[in-house]
Amino acid sequence: MRRTMGKLLAVVALAGSLAAATAGPALADPPVLPQPQDIVGVGSHTTGPLFNAFSAAYNSYLTGLGDTTSPRLYSWDSTGPSPITTKAGAPAIVRPYDVGTGLAAFNSVFPAGIDFVRADRGPQGGDPTTDVFVALAKDAVSWTATNGGHAPANLTAAQLRNIYSCTVTNWRQIEPSLANATIKPFLPTAGSGTRSFFLAAIGNPIPGPCVTTGPQENQGTDPVLNDPDVVFPYSVGHYVGQVYYGRATTTDAPGPLTVRNVNGIAPVNTTAQTINAAFAATAFGRVLYDVVRQAEWTATDAHGQALRNVFGNLGWICRNSVATVLIKTHGFLTLPLAACGSSTHS
């Protein structure tokens, strides 16, 4: 009887956790000031909402085990008041608003204040070799345009390259039947991983004078994007989470934008409500990472163990069923188990 009741309670607890995992947007920023031993991150907006949910679920997981001493997990959003004090004892810093500014803070300020950076790109030349990129999930990047606007349903990678190099500036240069209107290409902030990945996927054009830089990645609610001629790159996973899983908020939503096809391949499987696996298998599919320091990642002390307990192949993100549900209901694809938690660097 005890074993049966124990199993029943375990099933009820798991069901409650899964229900919480599929709920709407998690609260932004840490609800309390993290302590020096806690695992604290900043960086990309693409996985910001996911990490808010991770934080709540992981900390509840530890509490459920009766563990009151292990480091807790916290994540600072890419938008909000600035400066921020990431944890007790750390100096105030300008809030990082993308992976680029997150890595700059990670590698230049009081090291103990930031333990990981949310990264929506892989390692690049110029990244310190001591920055280790730990694989988290699979995503893809496509382009968006205003619903009911002048853009077609599909553009090729070559057409996107020409739009962003400003050698094609009018829709009729794409197709004579389209509107006689000037195309308005936009890019996210300069340090955005979505920006750098998208440009690489379309052939690394040097953005021309017709390109406007500035909107926060994956936030179609920015008023400048509400235009019939806008073209704007977007995380497909973040879009899926916003549209199909209730992850949108008043400011973090597609707004008037809809994600479009590239080379005739749809980015979203609307039946399964996931990233289209065929699209993710193209050059527009990407791996999302968390960046940690090599010395800390391999350390045998409590801090190194805490990092691996969260991000490692045997850690909570890769092995816990609630974490798996959170990845899926934020719109991303889980990695094969052998790949999850694997590490690389520049």
Side-chain angles (χ1 to χ4, degrees), residues 140-316:
V141 176
S142 190
W143 64 285
T144 57
T146 305
N147 189 32
H150 296 146
N154 177 77
L155 289 172
T156 67
Q159 287 168 336
L160 286 165
R161 181 172 62 251
N162 290 338
I163 286 171
Y164 278 90
S165 63
C166 301
T167 57
V168 167
T169 58
N170 190 291
W171 290 116
R172 286 194 174 171
Q173 292 175 270
I174 299 292
E175 168 58 50
S177 64
L178 294 177
N180 181 19
T182 300
I183 304 170
K184 298 178 182 177
F186 279 73
L187 286 171
T189 53
S192 161
T194 294
R195 171 193 173 115
S196 61
F197 180 86
F198 175 76
L199 289 175
I202 64 174
N204 280 313
I206 297 174
C210 68
V211 178
T212 301
T213 292
Q216 175 62 268
E217 57 190 5
N218 313 316
Q219 290 190 353
T221 53
D222 190 320
V224 300
L225 300 175
N226 189 8
D227 186 292
D229 298 302
V230 155
V231 177
F232 186 59
Y234 218 92
S235 159
V236 180
H238 201 96
Y239 180 88
V240 168
Q242 291 171 330
V243 172
Y244 295 103
Y245 294 101
R247 303 300 178 181
T249 68
T250 54
T251 57
D252 184 12
L257 302 181
T258 58
V259 71
R260 306 297 173 97
N261 299 359
V262 181
N263 296 331
I265 305 175
V268 178
N269 181 330
T270 56
T271 301
Q273 299 182 346
T274 64
I275 299 170
N276 182 3
F279 189 81
T282 71
F284 291 84
R286 65 175 174 180
V287 174
L288 303 172
Y289 297 90
D290 298 299
V291 183
V292 296
R293 299 178 183 89
Q294 174 74 43
E296 296 174 3
W297 183 241
T298 58
T300 57
D301 62 8
H303 183 70
Q305 187 60 56
L307 287 172
R308 294 187 293 275
N309 285 347
V310 175
F311 303 112
N313 178 259
L314 298 178
W316 183 83

Side-chain angles (χ1 to χ4, degrees), residues 28 63 68 82 93 109 114 154 177 234 290-291 296 304 333:
T63 300
T68 60
S82 184
I93 61 169
V109 301
I114 301 172
N154 177 77
S177 64
Y234 218 92
D290 298 299
V291 183
E296 296 174 3
L333 302 175

Side-chain angles (χ1 to χ4, degrees), residues 45-68:
H45 174 70
T46 298
T47 53
L50 174 60
F51 264 90
N52 288 337
F54 274 170
S55 173
Y58 180 72
N59 296 343
S60 293
Y61 163 77
L62 293 179
T63 300
L65 295 177
D67 184 339
T68 60

Side-chain angles (χ1 to χ4, degrees), residues 25-123:
L27 294 176
D29 284 346
V32 297
L33 180 64
Q35 295 305 297
Q37 74 275 12
D38 291 332
I39 305 300
V40 177
V42 298
S44 169
H45 174 70
T46 298
T47 53
L50 174 60
F51 264 90
N52 288 337
F54 274 170
S55 173
Y58 180 72
N59 296 343
S60 293
Y61 163 77
L62 293 179
T63 300
L65 295 177
D67 184 339
T68 60
T69 59
S70 290
R72 266 46 183 175
L73 176 67
Y74 295 106
S75 179
W76 288 89
D77 277 5
S78 58
T79 59
S82 184
I84 58 173
T85 300
T86 56
K87 62 171 66 177
I93 61 169
V94 174
R95 181 189 292 265
Y97 50 84
D98 54 26
V99 61
T101 52
L103 287 172
F106 182 69
N107 289 307
S108 64
V109 301
F110 181 62
I114 301 172
D115 302 286
F116 71 95
V117 176
R118 305 183 303 270
D120 51 358
R121 65 163 177 81

